[in-house]
Every structure is written in C-alpha cells, then in structure tokens.
C-alpha cells in the first residue's frame, strides 16, 4: 500500500458536481492499493499516519500528531499511486489490485483510521471521477509505502 499524506487547512471531494466530503484542518490521504496488500499493510499505515508528528507545537516545531490536534482526515482512493514508469512513457498499473481486493481494503483502511482517530473520516468514492480540492498547509507532503517499512 502506498499513501501520500498532505497536511491541509481544508480539503474536499466533489463527484459529478455534488460535494461528497469536506474536512477542516487535518490530513488528506491518497491511498493506492497493490495486488499483494492486506490487513498487515493497513495496520502499519494507520498506526504511522495517526502518530505522524507533522503538526506544529507551541514553538512551531512539527512535534504533534493528528491525534494531538484532533484534526480531520479525508481518504481518497488513487490507483495511480501504484504506477510503474520503468518502461516507455505510458504508466503501467499492472501491480494495482483489482476491485475485488481494492474496495474491501480501502473500506477497511477508512474504518481502521476512523477507529484510531476516534472520529469519522471523510471519503471519496472508489472508482469515481473525483475532483479533489485542498489547501496544503506548509506545504507538508509525506509519502509512505508499507513495503518499505525498514
């Protein structure tokens, strides 16, 4: 599993002109799911995300987590994070998980993050054409891959 975390002032997802989700200060999380991902990937990424100290403390040092700030989270599925660009100019998505694997894992990730944060998380809609708007705070953008834990 790959995620791109963006610390935001606010973010939203619109689908077909209708607002699906919106959050205030917190994290926008783009989630890519690979063919070999499973529950252990979810557990590791949720724990890292919830405890990632990328919010400023009283001295302006990034020393607080989303748990410390009671921030919001918005999770958007993004299979393009699984792109391979090794050959040619057209990305290959051969290692992205099929819907039968991706949808349950996406839902499980959202549920696990909601539990970890003690509040509902905003979501996109799996497979939909989404318009994602955000104001990146900092900017702070962190990439993590559950296959690169060490």
């Amino acid at each position: 599993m790959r995620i791109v975390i963006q610390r935001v002032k606010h973010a939203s997802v619109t689908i077909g002109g209708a607002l699906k989700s919106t959050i205030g200060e917190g994290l926008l999380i783009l989630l890519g799911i690979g063919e070999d991902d499973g529950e252990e990937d979810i557990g590791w990424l949720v724990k890292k995300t919830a405890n990632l100290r990328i919010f400023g403390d009283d001295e302006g040092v990034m020393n607080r987590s989303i748990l410390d700030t009671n921030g919001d989270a918005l999770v958007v599925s993004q299979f393009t994070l699984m792109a391979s660009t090794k050959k040619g100019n057209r990305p290959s998505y051969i290692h992205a998980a099929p819907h039968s694997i991706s949808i349950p894992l996406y839902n499980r990730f959202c549920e696990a993050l909601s539990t970890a944060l003690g509040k509902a998380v905003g979501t996109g809609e799996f497979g939909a054409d989404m318009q994602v708007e955000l104001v990146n705070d900092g900017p702070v953008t962190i990439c993590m891959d559950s296959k690169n834990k060490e």
Side-chain angles (χ1 to χ4, degrees):
M1 252 177 221
R2 293 180 184 157
I3 61 174
V4 173
I5 298 173
Q6 294 182 302
R7 187 178 76 183
V8 298
K9 287 292 187 183
H10 57 84
S12 65
V13 173
T14 301
I15 303 168
L19 182 65
K20 167 77 166 110
S21 294
T22 186
I23 63 165
E25 289 190 36
L27 302 176
L28 169 64
I29 302 163
L30 306 175
L31 173 65
I33 300 170
E35 61 192 354
D36 59 347
D37 289 332
E39 288 292 325
E40 64 282 352
D41 300 286
I42 292 170
W44 186 81
L45 282 173
V46 165
K47 184 177 179 182
K48 289 293 276 189
T49 300
N51 293 289
L52 194 62
R53 298 185 323 180
I54 59 173
F55 293 90
D57 62 16
D58 294 336
E59 286 78 42
V61 177
M62 286 196 287
N63 205 21
R64 300 169 92 194
S65 71
I66 191 171
L67 291 170
D68 298 325
T69 64
N70 195 32
D72 296 326
L74 173 59
V75 182
V76 176
S77 63
Q78 189 166 356
F79 79 95
T80 59
L81 289 177
M82 302 312 294
S84 173
T85 57
K86 290 181 180 179
K87 295 182 181 179
N89 294 317
R90 177 177 292 178
S92 168
Y93 303 105
I94 193 167
H95 296 296
H99 284 171
S100 61
I101 294 172
S102 299
I103 293 172
L105 290 178
Y106 169 76
N107 291 333
R108 180 69 190 107
F109 180 91
C110 293
E111 291 166 7
L113 185 60
S114 177
T115 298
L117 299 181
K119 61 167 54 175
V121 300
T123 62
E125 183 178 312
F126 196 92
D129 181 18
M130 298 175 273
Q131 288 68 56
V132 179
E133 293 186 47
L134 69 134
V135 173
N136 196 318
D137 181 19
V140 174
T141 303
I142 307 289
C143 301
M144 287 192 278
D145 189 321
S146 62
K147 303 305 185 221
N148 294 326
K149 295 175 189 167
E150 299 173 20

